Amino acid sequence: MGCLFLSYQHLPPPLQRCFAFCSLFPKGHIFNHDHLVNLWIAEGFIETEGSNEHMKDIGNRYILELISSSFFQVDEWGHYSMHDLIHDLAQDVSEDRDLDALFSKLRKLYVVEIKGICHDTKRVPKSVVQLRNLRYLNLGDINFDAHFVSLCYQLRFLFTKNPIPSVGRLISLQELERGFELKQLEHLKDLYGSLCISGLKNVKSTEEADRAKLSDKKGLRKLHFEWDCARGDIIRDNDEKVLDGLCPPPQIKELAIKNYRGSRVGYIFP
């Protein structure tokens, strides 16, 4: 595979893109010459700058160059295919796609899931801010940048393993997984389903807890409140104040309270 990768690196960039594109087809696929060239043209992979050749002719030349470099094999009937090892190489090199370039082309996306992708910066590509129609975003372990959160107002579903700066600006959110400060919930009135609020030991007052405005979130059905569990904690008066401020909406069906160390539950329902 190392030798094959060296051969790939010696290909001109346009040929590298055309070769990596072939990873979209299954192993053992028999390529149609004209069909493949048409796809390359549609994807903008054919370089015409400084050339008087027709794009079709350039595409035909690309195929001949890939054959001469042993990336394509041709049978006695003139059918093109890839050896399984070559196909594995195409998959390997296509996994490092330029996400910025991808999102720059696909500006009308409603749904984006980025999972299992090795991304060098572990950051949301800046081009995501151009996805003004985005409704659903699952980022796995890729981090947010503040510039992104300030622009995606229409986002409704957000899933990430990392803290989210300024999540309170995403006023259309109906569901989020984690990574927010309590005060960021104030304007998220469309939240629906279940919500878990942890780290409540860090909340200092009833007023700070009240800023979450849980009573305004009519779509919530399940609420989980979690305090940090510390050895030796017996009674924490501040827990009572925080619980009083976390006034749930009356329509919830399930309320779970974990590691609470107040002396009373209090009158938490309106």
Side-chain angles (χ1 to χ4, degrees):
M1 186 60 76
C3 294
L4 291 175
F5 184 71
L6 285 175
S7 299
Y8 165 79
Q9 287 185 312
H10 283 94
L11 292 175
L15 274 177
Q16 289 182 352
R17 290 194 294 270
C18 291
F19 169 70
F21 176 80
C22 295
S23 67
L24 297 176
F25 298 89
K27 286 185 177 180
H29 179 77
I30 302 298
F31 292 93
N32 178 284
H33 183 115
D34 290 333
H35 180 238
L36 186 57
V37 171
N38 289 343
L39 289 176
W40 287 344
I41 293 173
E43 290 288 347
F45 294 160
I46 304 296
E47 295 277 345
T48 58
E49 187 175 353
S51 173
N52 294 323
E53 289 182 277
H54 191 278
M55 283 192 287
K56 284 267 194 177
D57 293 330
I58 297 176
N60 293 337
R61 178 161 50 81
Y62 283 1
I63 287 183
L64 292 177
E65 290 183 34
L66 289 173
I67 292 172
S68 65
S69 302
S70 300
F71 289 105
F72 279 142
Q73 55 189 15
V74 186
D75 63 19
E76 56 185 308
W77 297 282
H79 296 151
Y80 302 97
S81 62
M82 279 185 168
H83 190 278
D84 286 353
L85 278 177
I86 298 293
H87 190 276
D88 290 340
L89 174 65
Q91 287 188 317
D92 287 345
V93 298
S94 66
E95 285 180 355
D96 295 326
R97 294 179 287 167
D98 184 346
L99 293 180
D100 269 317
L102 181 66
F103 291 136
S104 294
K105 292 180 180 179
L106 305 176
R107 297 189 180 186
K108 296 184 179 181
L109 288 175
Y110 277 40
V111 175
V112 171
E113 286 197 341
I114 305 177
K115 292 182 176 180
I117 292 179
C118 180
H119 196 260
D120 292 338
T121 62
K122 289 292 183 182
R123 293 280 176 183
V124 178
K126 291 184 178 180
S127 57
V128 174
V129 302
Q130 300 167 357
L131 306 180
R132 300 301 176 89
N133 297 316
L134 197 62
R135 302 290 193 273
Y136 180 107
L137 180 63
N138 189 335
L139 287 173
D141 60 354
I142 295 181
N143 292 326
F144 265 92
D145 281 325
H147 73 272
F148 166 72
V149 177
S150 64
L151 292 175
C152 291
Y153 293 117
Q154 299 195 61
L155 198 63
R156 296 174 185 172
F157 303 93
L158 174 60
F159 304 95
T160 177
K161 296 179 180 179
N162 295 301
I164 307 166
S166 305
V167 70
R169 297 179 184 178
L170 304 176
I171 58 176
S172 297
L173 272 186
Q174 296 180 17
E175 189 172 342
L176 75 162
E177 191 173 59
R178 65 181 68 189
F180 54 84
E181 297 175 281
L182 192 59
K183 64 182 180 181
Q184 298 285 351
L185 296 178
E186 180 176 357
H187 300 294
L188 305 184
K189 297 181 179 181
D190 293 331
L191 289 178
Y192 184 87
S194 61
L195 179 66
C196 177
I197 302 177
S198 59
L200 287 172
K201 187 179 179 180
N202 300 318
V203 181
K204 303 303 182 184
S205 65
T206 301
E207 292 73 24
E208 186 178 346
D210 183 61
R211 288 188 63 184
K213 301 296 181 186
L214 294 183
S215 59
D216 293 342
K217 304 176 193 339
K218 308 302 182 183
L220 290 178
R221 297 296 181 266
K222 298 180 181 180
L223 270 175
H224 290 198
F225 297 150
E226 295 184 7
W227 277 259
D228 298 330
C229 185
R231 182 174 296 179
D233 285 342
I234 301 176
I235 298 295
R236 296 194 299 244
D237 293 336
N238 191 62
D239 287 11
E240 298 175 13
K241 299 176 183 178
V242 172
L243 189 60
D244 286 341
L246 294 171
C247 186
Q251 75 280 355
I252 66 166
K253 304 296 183 182
E254 179 182 309
L255 176 64
I257 301 175
K258 185 177 181 180
N259 296 328
Y260 175 74
R261 292 295 186 270
S263 59
R264 61 179 177 83
V265 174
Y267 184 66
I268 62 173
F269 288 96

PDB file of all heavy atoms in Angstrom, residues 86-111:
ATOM      1  N   ILE A  86      -6.272  -1.294  -5.125  1.00  0.00           N
ATOM      2  CA  ILE A  86      -6.364   0.062  -5.679  1.00  0.00           C
ATOM      3  C   ILE A  86      -7.623   0.751  -5.145  1.00  0.00           C
ATOM      4  O   ILE A  86      -7.606   1.940  -4.810  1.00  0.00           O
ATOM      5  CB  ILE A  86      -6.382   0.018  -7.214  1.00  0.00           C
ATOM      6  CG1 ILE A  86      -5.079  -0.585  -7.747  1.00  0.00           C
ATOM      7  CG2 ILE A  86      -6.600   1.400  -7.789  1.00  0.00           C
ATOM      8  CD1 ILE A  86      -3.850   0.257  -7.493  1.00  0.00           C
ATOM      9  N   HIS A  87      -8.711  -0.008  -5.052  1.00  0.00           N
ATOM     10  CA  HIS A  87      -9.953   0.558  -4.511  1.00  0.00           C
ATOM     11  C   HIS A  87      -9.763   0.963  -3.048  1.00  0.00           C
ATOM     12  O   HIS A  87     -10.254   2.013  -2.619  1.00  0.00           O
ATOM     13  CB  HIS A  87     -11.089  -0.463  -4.630  1.00  0.00           C
ATOM     14  CG  HIS A  87     -12.439   0.106  -4.311  1.00  0.00           C
ATOM     15  ND1 HIS A  87     -12.918   0.201  -3.020  1.00  0.00           N
ATOM     16  CD2 HIS A  87     -13.412   0.622  -5.105  1.00  0.00           C
ATOM     17  CE1 HIS A  87     -14.117   0.735  -3.037  1.00  0.00           C
ATOM     18  NE2 HIS A  87     -14.449   1.006  -4.290  1.00  0.00           N
ATOM     19  N   ASP A  88      -9.040   0.140  -2.272  1.00  0.00           N
ATOM     20  CA  ASP A  88      -8.743   0.501  -0.878  1.00  0.00           C
ATOM     21  C   ASP A  88      -7.956   1.804  -0.811  1.00  0.00           C
ATOM     22  O   ASP A  88      -8.197   2.656   0.056  1.00  0.00           O
ATOM     23  CB  ASP A  88      -7.945  -0.611  -0.194  1.00  0.00           C
ATOM     24  CG  ASP A  88      -8.768  -1.871   0.044  1.00  0.00           C
ATOM     25  OD1 ASP A  88     -10.016  -1.768   0.035  1.00  0.00           O
ATOM     26  OD2 ASP A  88      -8.177  -2.939   0.243  1.00  0.00           O
ATOM     27  N   LEU A  89      -6.998   1.972  -1.726  1.00  0.00           N
ATOM     28  CA  LEU A  89      -6.224   3.208  -1.771  1.00  0.00           C
ATOM     29  C   LEU A  89      -7.127   4.400  -2.079  1.00  0.00           C
ATOM     30  O   LEU A  89      -7.000   5.465  -1.451  1.00  0.00           O
ATOM     31  CB  LEU A  89      -5.124   3.097  -2.829  1.00  0.00           C
ATOM     32  CG  LEU A  89      -4.309   4.365  -3.101  1.00  0.00           C
ATOM     33  CD1 LEU A  89      -3.513   4.755  -1.866  1.00  0.00           C
ATOM     34  CD2 LEU A  89      -3.397   4.179  -4.305  1.00  0.00           C
ATOM     35  N   ALA A  90      -8.042   4.234  -3.034  1.00  0.00           N
ATOM     36  CA  ALA A  90      -8.965   5.322  -3.384  1.00  0.00           C
ATOM     37  C   ALA A  90      -9.809   5.726  -2.186  1.00  0.00           C
ATOM     38  O   ALA A  90     -10.057   6.917  -1.957  1.00  0.00           O
ATOM     39  CB  ALA A  90      -9.858   4.891  -4.556  1.00  0.00           C
ATOM     40  N   GLN A  91     -10.241   4.737  -1.409  1.00  0.00           N
ATOM     41  CA  GLN A  91     -11.016   5.050  -0.204  1.00  0.00           C
ATOM     42  C   GLN A  91     -10.174   5.780   0.825  1.00  0.00           C
ATOM     43  O   GLN A  91     -10.633   6.728   1.462  1.00  0.00           O
ATOM     44  CB  GLN A  91     -11.592   3.767   0.387  1.00  0.00           C
ATOM     45  CG  GLN A  91     -12.742   3.179  -0.416  1.00  0.00           C
ATOM     46  CD  GLN A  91     -13.411   2.033   0.303  1.00  0.00           C
ATOM     47  OE1 GLN A  91     -12.748   1.185   0.883  1.00  0.00           O
ATOM     48  NE2 GLN A  91     -14.730   2.013   0.271  1.00  0.00           N
ATOM     49  N   ASP A  92      -8.917   5.347   0.983  1.00  0.00           N
ATOM     50  CA  ASP A  92      -8.026   5.986   1.961  1.00  0.00           C
ATOM     51  C   ASP A  92      -7.788   7.451   1.628  1.00  0.00           C
ATOM     52  O   ASP A  92      -7.863   8.321   2.503  1.00  0.00           O
ATOM     53  CB  ASP A  92      -6.683   5.247   2.028  1.00  0.00           C
ATOM     54  CG  ASP A  92      -6.790   3.907   2.740  1.00  0.00           C
ATOM     55  OD1 ASP A  92      -7.809   3.681   3.419  1.00  0.00           O
ATOM     56  OD2 ASP A  92      -5.857   3.089   2.620  1.00  0.00           O
ATOM     57  N   VAL A  93      -7.488   7.738   0.367  1.00  0.00           N
ATOM     58  CA  VAL A  93      -7.163   9.124   0.009  1.00  0.00           C
ATOM     59  C   VAL A  93      -8.407   9.999  -0.054  1.00  0.00           C
ATOM     60  O   VAL A  93      -8.320  11.215   0.132  1.00  0.00           O
ATOM     61  CB  VAL A  93      -6.407   9.187  -1.338  1.00  0.00           C
ATOM     62  CG1 VAL A  93      -5.091   8.446  -1.243  1.00  0.00           C
ATOM     63  CG2 VAL A  93      -7.254   8.649  -2.482  1.00  0.00           C
ATOM     64  N   SER A  94      -9.581   9.403  -0.277  1.00  0.00           N
ATOM     65  CA  SER A  94     -10.800  10.214  -0.341  1.00  0.00           C
ATOM     66  C   SER A  94     -11.316  10.564   1.042  1.00  0.00           C
ATOM     67  O   SER A  94     -12.144  11.464   1.193  1.00  0.00           O
ATOM     68  CB  SER A  94     -11.896   9.484  -1.120  1.00  0.00           C
ATOM     69  OG  SER A  94     -12.312   8.318  -0.444  1.00  0.00           O
ATOM     70  N   GLU A  95     -10.846   9.881   2.093  1.00  0.00           N
ATOM     71  CA  GLU A  95     -11.317  10.187   3.451  1.00  0.00           C
ATOM     72  C   GLU A  95     -10.829  11.541   3.931  1.00  0.00           C
ATOM     73  O   GLU A  95     -11.389  12.117   4.844  1.00  0.00           O
ATOM     74  CB  GLU A  95     -10.852   9.100   4.427  1.00  0.00           C
ATOM     75  CG  GLU A  95     -11.636   7.810   4.299  1.00  0.00           C
ATOM     76  CD  GLU A  95     -11.162   6.753   5.261  1.00  0.00           C
ATOM     77  OE1 GLU A  95     -10.151   7.010   5.950  1.00  0.00           O
ATOM     78  OE2 GLU A  95     -11.790   5.694   5.335  1.00  0.00           O
ATOM     79  N   ASP A  96      -9.742  12.058   3.357  1.00  0.00           N
ATOM     80  CA  ASP A  96      -9.219  13.365   3.751  1.00  0.00           C
ATOM     81  C   ASP A  96      -9.761  14.463   2.835  1.00  0.00           C
ATOM     82  O   ASP A  96      -9.052  15.416   2.524  1.00  0.00           O
ATOM     83  CB  ASP A  96      -7.690  13.348   3.709  1.00  0.00           C
ATOM     84  CG  ASP A  96      -7.145  12.388   4.753  1.00  0.00           C
ATOM     85  OD1 ASP A  96      -7.766  12.276   5.818  1.00  0.00           O
ATOM     86  OD2 ASP A  96      -6.115  11.758   4.490  1.00  0.00           O
ATOM     87  N   ARG A  97     -11.032  14.419   2.456  1.00  0.00           N
ATOM     88  CA  ARG A  97     -11.631  15.463   1.600  1.00  0.00           C
ATOM     89  C   ARG A  97     -11.558  16.824   2.263  1.00  0.00           C
ATOM     90  O   ARG A  97     -11.593  16.969   3.456  1.00  0.00           O
ATOM     91  CB  ARG A  97     -13.107  15.133   1.349  1.00  0.00           C
ATOM     92  CG  ARG A  97     -13.323  13.893   0.539  1.00  0.00           C
ATOM     93  CD  ARG A  97     -14.773  13.648   0.378  1.00  0.00           C
ATOM     94  NE  ARG A  97     -15.362  13.193   1.586  1.00  0.00           N
ATOM     95  CZ  ARG A  97     -16.634  13.120   1.813  1.00  0.00           C
ATOM     96  NH1 ARG A  97     -17.490  13.462   0.907  1.00  0.00           N
ATOM     97  NH2 ARG A  97     -17.100  12.686   2.957  1.00  0.00           N
ATOM     98  N   ASP A  98     -11.499  17.871   1.473  1.00  0.00           N
ATOM     99  CA  ASP A  98     -11.487  19.241   1.974  1.00  0.00           C
ATOM    100  C   ASP A  98     -12.926  19.622   2.314  1.00  0.00           C
ATOM    101  O   ASP A  98     -13.744  19.911   1.441  1.00  0.00           O
ATOM    102  CB  ASP A  98     -10.929  20.175   0.903  1.00  0.00           C
ATOM    103  CG  ASP A  98     -10.804  21.594   1.396  1.00  0.00           C
ATOM    104  OD1 ASP A  98     -11.389  21.904   2.451  1.00  0.00           O
ATOM    105  OD2 ASP A  98     -10.129  22.390   0.732  1.00  0.00           O
ATOM    106  N   LEU A  99     -13.277  19.626   3.628  1.00  0.00           N
ATOM    107  CA  LEU A  99     -14.652  19.904   4.049  1.00  0.00           C
ATOM    108  C   LEU A  99     -15.076  21.312   3.684  1.00  0.00           C
ATOM    109  O   LEU A  99     -16.242  21.555   3.370  1.00  0.00           O
ATOM    110  CB  LEU A  99     -14.783  19.683   5.560  1.00  0.00           C
ATOM    111  CG  LEU A  99     -14.627  18.238   6.035  1.00  0.00           C
ATOM    112  CD1 LEU A  99     -14.786  18.164   7.542  1.00  0.00           C
ATOM    113  CD2 LEU A  99     -15.640  17.326   5.366  1.00  0.00           C
ATOM    114  N   ASP A 100     -14.148  22.266   3.741  1.00  0.00           N
ATOM    115  CA  ASP A 100     -14.492  23.631   3.350  1.00  0.00           C
ATOM    116  C   ASP A 100     -14.957  23.682   1.904  1.00  0.00           C
ATOM    117  O   ASP A 100     -15.961  24.319   1.585  1.00  0.00           O
ATOM    118  CB  ASP A 100     -13.284  24.563   3.545  1.00  0.00           C
ATOM    119  CG  ASP A 100     -13.275  25.208   4.923  1.00  0.00           C
ATOM    120  OD1 ASP A 100     -14.353  25.640   5.372  1.00  0.00           O
ATOM    121  OD2 ASP A 100     -12.218  25.284   5.552  1.00  0.00           O
ATOM    122  N   ALA A 101     -14.234  23.005   1.027  1.00  0.00           N
ATOM    123  CA  ALA A 101     -14.609  23.000  -0.390  1.00  0.00           C
ATOM    124  C   ALA A 101     -15.951  22.307  -0.591  1.00  0.00           C
ATOM    125  O   ALA A 101     -16.779  22.742  -1.393  1.00  0.00           O
ATOM    126  CB  ALA A 101     -13.522  22.313  -1.211  1.00  0.00           C
ATOM    127  N   LEU A 102     -16.176  21.236   0.171  1.00  0.00           N
ATOM    128  CA  LEU A 102     -17.427  20.495   0.051  1.00  0.00           C
ATOM    129  C   LEU A 102     -18.624  21.348   0.437  1.00  0.00           C
ATOM    130  O   LEU A 102     -19.599  21.450  -0.301  1.00  0.00           O
ATOM    131  CB  LEU A 102     -17.360  19.244   0.933  1.00  0.00           C
ATOM    132  CG  LEU A 102     -18.585  18.340   0.917  1.00  0.00           C
ATOM    133  CD1 LEU A 102     -18.773  17.715  -0.452  1.00  0.00           C
ATOM    134  CD2 LEU A 102     -18.464  17.264   1.978  1.00  0.00           C
ATOM    135  N   PHE A 103     -18.548  21.996   1.614  1.00  0.00           N
ATOM    136  CA  PHE A 103     -19.678  22.796   2.074  1.00  0.00           C
ATOM    137  C   PHE A 103     -19.861  24.059   1.243  1.00  0.00           C
ATOM    138  O   PHE A 103     -20.970  24.600   1.151  1.00  0.00           O
ATOM    139  CB  PHE A 103     -19.506  23.158   3.550  1.00  0.00           C
ATOM    140  CG  PHE A 103     -19.634  21.979   4.471  1.00  0.00           C
ATOM    141  CD1 PHE A 103     -18.745  21.790   5.514  1.00  0.00           C
ATOM    142  CD2 PHE A 103     -20.640  21.054   4.301  1.00  0.00           C
ATOM    143  CE1 PHE A 103     -18.856  20.701   6.364  1.00  0.00           C
ATOM    144  CE2 PHE A 103     -20.768  19.965   5.141  1.00  0.00           C
ATOM    145  CZ  PHE A 103     -19.876  19.780   6.167  1.00  0.00           C
ATOM    146  N   SER A 104     -18.787  24.553   0.651  1.00  0.00           N
ATOM    147  CA  SER A 104     -18.901  25.728  -0.211  1.00  0.00           C
ATOM    148  C   SER A 104     -19.746  25.427  -1.443  1.00  0.00           C
ATOM    149  O   SER A 104     -20.426  26.308  -1.969  1.00  0.00           O
ATOM    150  CB  SER A 104     -17.512  26.213  -0.644  1.00  0.00           C
ATOM    151  OG  SER A 104     -16.777  26.683   0.467  1.00  0.00           O
ATOM    152  N   LYS A 105     -19.719  24.163  -1.895  1.00  0.00           N
ATOM    153  CA  LYS A 105     -20.503  23.776  -3.066  1.00  0.00           C
ATOM    154  C   LYS A 105     -21.948  23.435  -2.701  1.00  0.00           C
ATOM    155  O   LYS A 105     -22.860  23.627  -3.501  1.00  0.00           O
ATOM    156  CB  LYS A 105     -19.857  22.566  -3.747  1.00  0.00           C
ATOM    157  CG  LYS A 105     -18.514  22.848  -4.391  1.00  0.00           C
ATOM    158  CD  LYS A 105     -17.960  21.574  -5.032  1.00  0.00           C
ATOM    159  CE  LYS A 105     -16.620  21.810  -5.691  1.00  0.00           C
ATOM    160  NZ  LYS A 105     -16.068  20.561  -6.289  1.00  0.00           N
ATOM    161  N   LEU A 106     -22.143  22.914  -1.487  1.00  0.00           N
ATOM    162  CA  LEU A 106     -23.468  22.401  -1.112  1.00  0.00           C
ATOM    163  C   LEU A 106     -24.130  23.352  -0.112  1.00  0.00           C
ATOM    164  O   LEU A 106     -24.331  23.029   1.050  1.00  0.00           O
ATOM    165  CB  LEU A 106     -23.326  21.005  -0.495  1.00  0.00           C
ATOM    166  CG  LEU A 106     -22.586  19.986  -1.358  1.00  0.00           C
ATOM    167  CD1 LEU A 106     -22.414  18.676  -0.609  1.00  0.00           C
ATOM    168  CD2 LEU A 106     -23.333  19.747  -2.666  1.00  0.00           C
ATOM    169  N   ARG A 107     -24.470  24.538  -0.568  1.00  0.00           N
ATOM    170  CA  ARG A 107     -24.931  25.593   0.342  1.00  0.00           C
ATOM    171  C   ARG A 107     -26.385  25.457   0.765  1.00  0.00           C
ATOM    172  O   ARG A 107     -26.839  26.172   1.638  1.00  0.00           O
ATOM    173  CB  ARG A 107     -24.720  26.962  -0.307  1.00  0.00           C
ATOM    174  CG  ARG A 107     -23.248  27.268  -0.557  1.00  0.00           C
ATOM    175  CD  ARG A 107     -23.044  28.686  -0.999  1.00  0.00           C
ATOM    176  NE  ARG A 107     -21.638  28.976  -1.239  1.00  0.00           N
ATOM    177  CZ  ARG A 107     -21.169  30.185  -1.534  1.00  0.00           C
ATOM    178  NH1 ARG A 107     -22.007  31.203  -1.616  1.00  0.00           N
ATOM    179  NH2 ARG A 107     -19.886  30.367  -1.748  1.00  0.00           N
ATOM    180  N   LYS A 108     -27.129  24.534   0.162  1.00  0.00           N
ATOM    181  CA  LYS A 108     -28.545  24.395   0.497  1.00  0.00           C
ATOM    182  C   LYS A 108     -28.825  23.189   1.381  1.00  0.00           C
ATOM    183  O   LYS A 108     -29.967  22.762   1.518  1.00  0.00           O
ATOM    184  CB  LYS A 108     -29.382  24.307  -0.777  1.00  0.00           C
ATOM    185  CG  LYS A 108     -29.325  25.585  -1.610  1.00  0.00           C
ATOM    186  CD  LYS A 108     -30.241  25.517  -2.820  1.00  0.00           C
ATOM    187  CE  LYS A 108     -30.197  26.808  -3.614  1.00  0.00           C
ATOM    188  NZ  LYS A 108     -31.107  26.782  -4.792  1.00  0.00           N
ATOM    189  N   LEU A 109     -27.790  22.648   2.010  1.00  0.00           N
ATOM    190  CA  LEU A 109     -27.966  21.486   2.873  1.00  0.00           C
ATOM    191  C   LEU A 109     -28.867  21.795   4.055  1.00  0.00           C
ATOM    192  O   LEU A 109     -28.779  22.851   4.672  1.00  0.00           O
ATOM    193  CB  LEU A 109     -26.603  21.005   3.399  1.00  0.00           C
ATOM    194  CG  LEU A 109     -25.676  20.308   2.397  1.00  0.00           C
ATOM    195  CD1 LEU A 109     -24.341  20.015   3.053  1.00  0.00           C
ATOM    196  CD2 LEU A 109     -26.307  19.017   1.914  1.00  0.00           C
ATOM    197  N   TYR A 110     -29.744  20.841   4.383  1.00  0.00           N
ATOM    198  CA  TYR A 110     -30.582  20.931   5.574  1.00  0.00           C
ATOM    199  C   TYR A 110     -30.024  20.073   6.702  1.00  0.00           C
ATOM    200  O   TYR A 110     -30.242  20.364   7.876  1.00  0.00           O
ATOM    201  CB  TYR A 110     -32.005  20.453   5.256  1.00  0.00           C
ATOM    202  CG  TYR A 110     -32.896  21.495   4.629  1.00  0.00           C
ATOM    203  CD1 TYR A 110     -32.407  22.376   3.661  1.00  0.00           C
ATOM    204  CD2 TYR A 110     -34.233  21.601   4.979  1.00  0.00           C
ATOM    205  CE1 TYR A 110     -33.220  23.322   3.076  1.00  0.00           C
ATOM    206  CE2 TYR A 110     -35.059  22.557   4.407  1.00  0.00           C
ATOM    207  CZ  TYR A 110     -34.552  23.413   3.444  1.00  0.00           C
ATOM    208  OH  TYR A 110     -35.358  24.355   2.879  1.00  0.00           O
ATOM    209  N   VAL A 111     -29.347  18.989   6.347  1.00  0.00           N
ATOM    210  CA  VAL A 111     -28.864  18.018   7.337  1.00  0.00           C
ATOM    211  C   VAL A 111     -27.376  17.762   7.110  1.00  0.00           C
ATOM    212  O   VAL A 111     -26.947  17.517   5.984  1.00  0.00           O
ATOM    213  CB  VAL A 111     -29.634  16.680   7.219  1.00  0.00           C
ATOM    214  CG1 VAL A 111     -29.047  15.639   8.154  1.00  0.00           C
ATOM    215  CG2 VAL A 111     -31.119  16.889   7.516  1.00  0.00           C
TER     216      VAL A 111
END
